[in-house]
């Protein structure tokens, strides 16, 4: 069992000096880590810089209200949750209003101040080799049809994991079961995400620090948050990387669909807005929204709500004393087959590149 100690805020020893990218290990160390968490004072800033950053929040009024009741209750329990039943998803599937934002500020001072005061979360000290995350996701397609999913995910540093999913409308009635043996999640680029700034940007799909005009960094951070429950040092790293990204706008008082007030960070173009909402105390990602500009205002095409974060030693089918990633024989027989997820949780819009026509083979009709 891997326990969490209260003596060091740093990530495990393997995270102190990252192996070189492209070296013999390809920048990945597969040894099983020990996580450690305790109170932190955050990165060091000069007194003048800290005061200047704090002043950016001075006089900010209360958060603008959404005008509707919260769509989901987010409690502080560290117990491993279950996904919501499809009947509950049916009640909230019509939610379509975009997030209301106000009081814009330049993002760097607000984010530096947040990084300075990030504190441990109540579930940081929960034991377990798996990061467990529960999320609610809404999608709207070009025809206006909306789908809602509720997902509980397990992820371990050896790129193994599992997921329970419910959906409305539901093409597969009931709860969908997925699991991935060690190494099967390597294509998701999740391992070592919180090792360093370079690793973080690479794993969040933004290798350049020039800016985030297309929302790749905000989208990548949201995707990482659907798998990871990072320690305070990892959250400080993520917020600091955001603070060093040009072109971002901060909204210090923003309400998500669970009724929680957070600090929103946004990048806006003529046609799209990417919005990431962060917990003002712990730095955790609370929500992500991608919205498209329409004649009547912003219309969300994807919304992601992070509901629960904790840690666990086992997945739902494993006995309390189970070790490794071996499923029972009945499940190996076909009840749960490892497979790629059928839909990404969040992703930036991609341009459509039609395939070039291929020449007909010899002997075929044109």
């Amino acid at each position: 069992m891997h326990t969490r100690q209260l003596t060091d805020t740093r990530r495990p020893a393997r995270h102190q000096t990252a192996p070189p990218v492209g070296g013999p290990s390809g920048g990945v160390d597969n040894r099983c880590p020990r996580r450690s968490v305790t109170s932190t004072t955050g990165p060091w800033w000069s007194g003048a810089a800290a005061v200047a950053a704090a002043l950016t929040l001075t006089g900010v009024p209360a958060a603008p209200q959404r005008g509707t009741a919260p769509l989901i209750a987010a409690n502080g329990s560290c117990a491993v949750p279950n996904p919501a039943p499809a009947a509950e998803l049916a009640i909230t599937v019509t939610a379509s209003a975009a997030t209301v934002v106000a009081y814009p500020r330049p993002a760097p001072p607000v984010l530096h101040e947040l990084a300075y005061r990030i504190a441990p979360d109540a579930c940081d000290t929960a034991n377990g080799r798996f990061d467990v995350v529960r999320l609610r996701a809404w999608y709207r397609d070009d025809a206006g049809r909306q789908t809602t999913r509720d997902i509980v995910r397990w992820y371990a540093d050896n790129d193994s994991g599992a997921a329970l999913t419910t959906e409305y409308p539901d093409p597969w009635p009931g709860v969908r079961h997925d699991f991935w043996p060690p190494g099967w999640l390597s294509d998701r680029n999740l391992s070592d995400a919180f090792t360093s700034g370079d690793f973080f940007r690479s794993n969040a799909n933004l290798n350049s620090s020039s800016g985030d005009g297309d929302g790749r960094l905000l989208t990548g951070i949201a995707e990482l948050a659907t798998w990871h429950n990072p320690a305070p040092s990892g959250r400080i790293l993520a917020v600091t990387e955001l603070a060093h990204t040009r072109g971002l706008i901060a909204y210090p008082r923003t309400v998500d669909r669970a009724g929680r007030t957070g600090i929103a960070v946004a990048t806006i173009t003529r046609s799209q807005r990417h919005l990431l909402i962060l917990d003002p105390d712990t730095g955790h990602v609370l929500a992500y929204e991608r919205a498209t500009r329409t004649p009547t205002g912003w219309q969300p095409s994807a919304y992601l709500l992070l509901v629960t974060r904790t840690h666990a030693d086992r997945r739902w089918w494993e006995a309390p004393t189970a070790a490794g990633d071996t499923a029972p024989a009945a499940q190996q027989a076909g009840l749960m087959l490892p497979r790629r997820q059928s839909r990404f949780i969040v992703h930036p819009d991609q341009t459509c590149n039609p395939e070039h026509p291929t020449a007909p083979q010899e002997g075929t009709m044109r």
Side-chain angles (χ1 to χ4, degrees), residues 128-187:
R129 63 192 180 98
F130 288 100
D131 286 7
V132 181
V133 179
R134 181 190 168 205
L135 58 107
R136 179 76 61 88
W138 290 262
Y139 313 90
R140 182 180 296 276
D141 62 20
D142 294 338
R145 294 184 295 267
Q146 186 156 302
T147 300
T148 304
R149 282 185 169 186
D150 204 272
I151 305 173
V152 178
R153 281 178 167 173
W154 287 256
Y155 174 73
D157 285 349
N158 63 354
D159 280 327
S160 65
L164 296 175
T165 305
T166 56
E167 181 173 342
Y168 183 87
D170 190 358
W172 304 286
V175 179
R176 183 176 181 181
H177 302 75
D178 292 280
F179 80 97
W180 297 270
W184 281 62
L185 288 172
S186 59
D187 63 328

Side-chain angles (χ1 to χ4, degrees), residues 140-142 214-216 219 269 271-274 288 290-293 299-302 346-352:
R140 182 180 296 276
D141 62 20
D142 294 338
D214 58 1
R216 282 183 295 164
T219 303
T269 65
S271 60
Q272 280 207 335
R273 181 182 76 182
H274 297 267
Y288 165 85
R290 183 178 69 243
T292 303
R293 192 188 298 275
Q299 178 67 56
S301 55
V346 291
H347 59 85
D349 289 339
Q350 302 292 330
T351 56
C352 180

